[in-house]
Amino acid sequence: MALSKTEAIVLRTRRQGETSKILSLYTQHYGRISVMAKGARSIKSRYGGVLEPQTHIGLVFYRYETRELQYLSQAEIISPFAKLHEQLGRMAMAAIPCEMVERNEANGHVNPALFHLLLSTLTVIDGAEKGYRNAVRAFMVRYMEHSGFKPEFAHCRGCGQKQRSDGAFFDFSKGGFVCDACSGTLGEGQKLSAAVLERLHYFLQAPLEKSVQVSVDAAQGREMDRFLLSYMQYHIETLHHLNSIIYLDKIQSTLRIVKPDEQRKQYGDSE
Amino acid sequence: MRYSSETVERAVHELSKLPGIGRKSAQRLVFFLLKRPAEDVKILAQALLDLHEKVKYCSICYNITEQDPCHICSDVHRDQSLICVVEEANDVVALEKTGEFKGLYHVLGGAMSPLDGIGPDNLKMRELLTRLTGQVHEIILATNPNTEGEATALYLVKLLRPLELKLTRIARGIPIGADIEYADEITLSRAIEGRVTL
């Protein structure tokens, strides 16, 4: 047992017993770990709001190499991501990268680059005036790169030819688009427009904070989101049916109704 | 089978399904019950059976009750223009203990949680909207001051704001008896935001 110090993003919390919490954290130096925070839910807990999901914290914990569950000693906030916690849309968006990391990263698998990617994504979702959905898209593309499935959007996987102006078919098994000449044996995939291929390529290359400046219209957004989810799910089984995406769809569909009469109809009178 | 009696084994197995109770604790409870007079054990068993037979949800506020509507909803002396929205029935018990609140309640049955896939459809939100007739003037959002509770409150604000009711949120900040020195930034900033004029 050793006292260890690191930075972490709180991915998720679960209630434990009367007043404790079990935290799922993605740490800079130890990868994903589970930590017991004794008494964290008590009204006079010294942790207060430190251990809430989607918060960047510094922590000291008792590290037992042979155990799955570690014990928290101290924690303090580094970035509270205040705006992210005050707006429903930002909060729902930030839950997507957190859930992906929580579901797919094995306990103790260390990847400091992924920690920084997650931290940058939450920072952009918290700070951007608009376009923060693109930060989540950029995270997804880069997460596939981190997981060994880097997609190729600029050149044909078969012959290396540059993409054409009318778009191309993205073959999931090949991890990239294929031009007409190389499309003899097409696997599972999706036809992508040139605009979407261009934007996805940009998300993969450009600094993450620049992703929010890219204009994406509604049709391109739908095409991109459908592609990203299908591509991730094709290669990574644990990313099937992400709860955070189902949740985002639910709140978006119900909040589109703004008129009181229609609200009552939607929620009450229709039954 | 670990025990000489199949009945003991079954009791240990069933008790170990309870939260926070492992096999060892279940075994301790079973041996404790074996030493108790038969009448005491019967009373306990009957109390457990009654939980499912007699206790139900109030059809108005979704609090747990034995009569429908519950005693709070059917109390004509309570302020019918005020509804306090809480996550769980336990929260009603805590608020009632204060003796300060004289309005009605609405129990959502949980809080929105993106990672658990709990959205508005999984909570009693449409039931809250159907209650908002002309006589309700204020909704107090008393969900927990954590990420899930805040998300639920934010969603309710978006949903209820067009109805032009008075929407309030319970105060958040430093608990009585605590030291400011040890409070975290989020709690302190909420306490300053929610300061009151004296």
Side-chain angles (χ1 to χ4, degrees):
Chain A
M1 187 265 287
L3 264 179
S4 304
K5 191 177 178 181
T6 187
E7 288 184 21
I9 304 288
V10 183
L11 302 173
R12 182 180 198 162
T13 63
R14 291 186 180 86
R15 292 174 178 203
Q16 175 67 27
E18 288 285 306
T19 57
S20 302
K21 271 182 183 179
I22 293 178
L23 314 169
S24 178
L25 306 174
Y26 197 74
T27 65
Q28 188 177 13
H29 301 113
Y30 305 97
R32 190 170 78 81
I33 58 169
S34 296
V35 177
M36 167 77 84
K38 290 255 179 200
R41 281 166 46 228
S42 139
I43 201 94
K44 287 187 188 169
S45 162
R46 63 200 155 113
Y47 299 120
V50 177
L51 306 178
E52 287 303 306
Q54 302 156 11
T55 307
H56 179 201
I57 62 170
L59 76 149
V60 179
F61 66 104
Y62 297 100
R63 185 161 166 262
Y64 299 84
E65 286 198 24
T66 53
R67 288 192 194 168
E68 290 265 307
L69 187 64
Q70 314 297 338
Y71 283 81
L72 188 66
S73 168
Q74 297 166 41
E76 59 176 13
I77 292 177
I78 298 175
S79 319
F81 298 130
K83 211 158 136 191
L84 187 157
H85 287 96
E86 286 165 6
Q87 292 179 21
L88 200 59
R90 286 178 203 263
M91 210 189 277
M93 285 289 171
I96 298 171
C98 288
E99 186 180 8
M100 286 170 62
V101 172
E102 217 261 333
R103 279 204 194 187
N104 195 48
E105 293 303 309
N107 252 5
H109 179 74
V110 184
N111 186 348
L114 177 59
F115 172 79
H116 289 292
L117 174 63
L118 182 60
L119 179 59
S120 311
T121 307
L122 296 184
T123 307
V124 172
I125 296 172
D126 181 60
E129 285 301 315
K130 56 180 184 173
Y132 51 84
R133 187 162 193 153
N134 284 346
V136 179
R137 291 174 178 137
F139 174 87
M140 287 175 167
V141 174
R142 283 155 188 248
Y143 187 73
M144 292 310 286
E145 183 183 7
H146 277 279
S147 306
F149 303 104
K150 182 182 178 182
E152 172 60 59
F153 299 114
H155 299 93
C156 168
R157 273 287 194 216
C159 62
Q161 187 196 318
K162 278 193 172 180
Q163 64 135 316
R164 290 190 340 206
S165 58
D166 57 346
F169 182 82
F170 190 102
D171 190 319
F172 292 159
S173 63
K174 293 191 170 103
F177 87 80
V178 279
C179 67
D180 293 344
C182 301
S183 61
T185 50
L186 287 177
E188 197 178 324
Q190 186 183 327
K191 175 90 168 69
L192 293 175
S193 64
V196 164
L197 278 168
E198 204 177 288
R199 281 160 176 75
L200 289 170
H201 181 64
Y202 184 79
F203 291 160
L204 193 59
Q205 305 292 327
L208 200 115
E209 59 272 17
K210 292 206 169 174
S211 63
V212 297
Q213 295 163 2
V214 176
S215 71
V216 175
D217 66 31
Q220 288 166 353
R222 281 194 297 274
E223 186 182 335
M224 224 181 266
D225 293 340
R226 191 163 70 87
F227 162 75
L228 287 169
L229 276 183
S230 307
Y231 184 59
M232 288 193 313
Q233 289 172 0
Y234 181 86
H235 288 288
I236 306 175
E237 206 178 328
T238 50
L239 298 183
H240 278 247
H241 308 295
L242 286 171
N243 284 330
S244 49
I245 289 184
I246 298 167
Y247 171 89
L248 182 68
D249 290 343
K250 274 184 191 172
I251 60 167
Q252 280 181 334
S253 62
T254 47
L255 286 176
R256 276 190 199 112
I257 301 130
V258 290
K259 291 178 185 166
D261 291 347
E262 288 178 19
Q263 254 177 333
R264 283 207 175 92
K265 196 175 171 190
Q266 166 82 4
Y267 279 92
D269 298 345
S270 58
E271 287 233 320
Chain B
M1 193 174 74
R2 293 182 182 198
Y3 306 99
S4 52
S5 156
E6 199 178 314
T7 308
V8 170
E9 170 66 32
R10 195 151 53 92
V12 169
H13 178 71
E14 291 305 317
L15 283 170
S16 64
K17 289 179 184 171
L18 296 173
I21 306 281
R23 273 195 75 88
K24 202 79 184 165
S25 305
Q27 181 184 303
R28 216 172 288 135
L29 288 170
V30 167
F31 284 109
F32 171 79
L33 291 171
L34 280 172
K35 286 179 188 166
R36 299 293 300 165
E39 194 53 36
D40 285 5
V41 180
K42 271 185 195 159
I43 292 169
L44 174 66
Q46 192 57 51
L48 293 175
L49 282 173
D50 287 350
L51 279 179
H52 267 274
E53 283 168 12
K54 294 185 179 168
V55 179
K56 52 195 165 194
Y57 290 103
C58 169
S59 59
I60 298 173
C61 70
Y62 295 90
N63 190 9
I64 50 170
T65 180
E66 286 191 31
Q67 60 181 61
D68 191 17
C70 68
H71 72 281
I72 297 175
C73 290
S74 48
D75 184 348
V76 289
H77 300 296
R78 295 190 78 112
D79 187 349
Q80 308 288 317
S81 69
L82 198 55
I83 294 180
C84 180
V85 180
V86 296
E87 289 179 18
E88 300 286 356
N90 295 351
D91 302 328
V92 175
V93 178
L95 284 162
E96 279 297 284
K97 264 201 243 168
T98 66
E100 290 290 319
F101 182 68
K102 301 292 178 205
L104 305 175
Y105 293 95
H106 188 85
V107 183
L108 293 171
M112 285 164 59
S113 169
L115 267 58
D116 296 313
I118 302 173
D121 293 349
N122 305 102
L123 305 172
K124 303 287 181 198
M125 289 204 181
R126 70 182 70 185
E127 291 79 358
L128 173 64
L129 275 176
T130 56
R131 291 181 68 185
L132 304 181
T133 54
Q135 62 176 342
V136 178
H137 295 129
E138 182 177 350
I139 305 284
I140 303 171
L141 301 175
T143 51
N144 287 329
N146 55 25
T147 304
E148 290 84 5
E150 289 297 326
T152 311
L154 287 170
Y155 182 85
L156 282 169
V157 168
K158 285 201 175 215
L159 198 68
L160 301 175
R161 190 168 278 154
L163 300 178
E164 292 171 4
L165 297 163
K166 185 179 175 188
L167 289 175
T168 52
R169 178 89 171 101
I170 52 163
R172 292 155 294 171
I174 313 283
I176 291 170
D179 282 1
I180 289 177
E181 184 189 351
Y182 296 110
D184 64 281
E185 296 93 314
I186 297 175
T187 308
L188 267 177
S189 57
R190 292 279 185 275
I192 291 170
E193 271 170 30
R195 68 190 187 276
V196 291
T197 310
L198 299 173

